[in-house]
Amino acid sequence: MSSTRPSPPVPAAAAKRFLLARRNLLILAAAILVLVAGYLTLMAGHPSAAAVILVVGYCLLFPLGIAL
């Protein structure tokens, strides 16, 4: 007979744990809103302002939302 022990069960909270915190989700939601505003600005015919808004969304908010 082998004396192997069964592994302990994984707690439900640990199995369903999400990788991003609330702060990350809020920043990512803000990034999505900024991107929508940037594309709406682009559709309205203001390409320079849209470029600045889109750069803020893609180059600042998305990386912050993932990294923090």
Side-chain angles (χ1 to χ4, degrees):
M1 256 194 177
S2 65
S3 61
T4 59
R5 294 186 197 167
S7 61
V10 178
K16 294 182 180 181
R17 186 171 170 237
F18 195 63
L19 296 177
L20 297 175
R22 180 179 170 96
R23 176 179 58 182
N24 299 86
L25 295 176
L26 290 174
I27 294 172
L28 289 174
I32 291 171
L33 290 175
V34 167
L35 291 178
V36 169
Y39 283 112
L40 290 175
T41 305
L42 186 62
M43 286 175 34
H46 304 287
S48 298
V52 172
I53 295 170
L54 290 171
V55 165
V56 168
Y58 280 118
C59 298
L60 181 70
L61 293 176
F62 264 115
L64 278 177
I66 294 169
L68 291 180

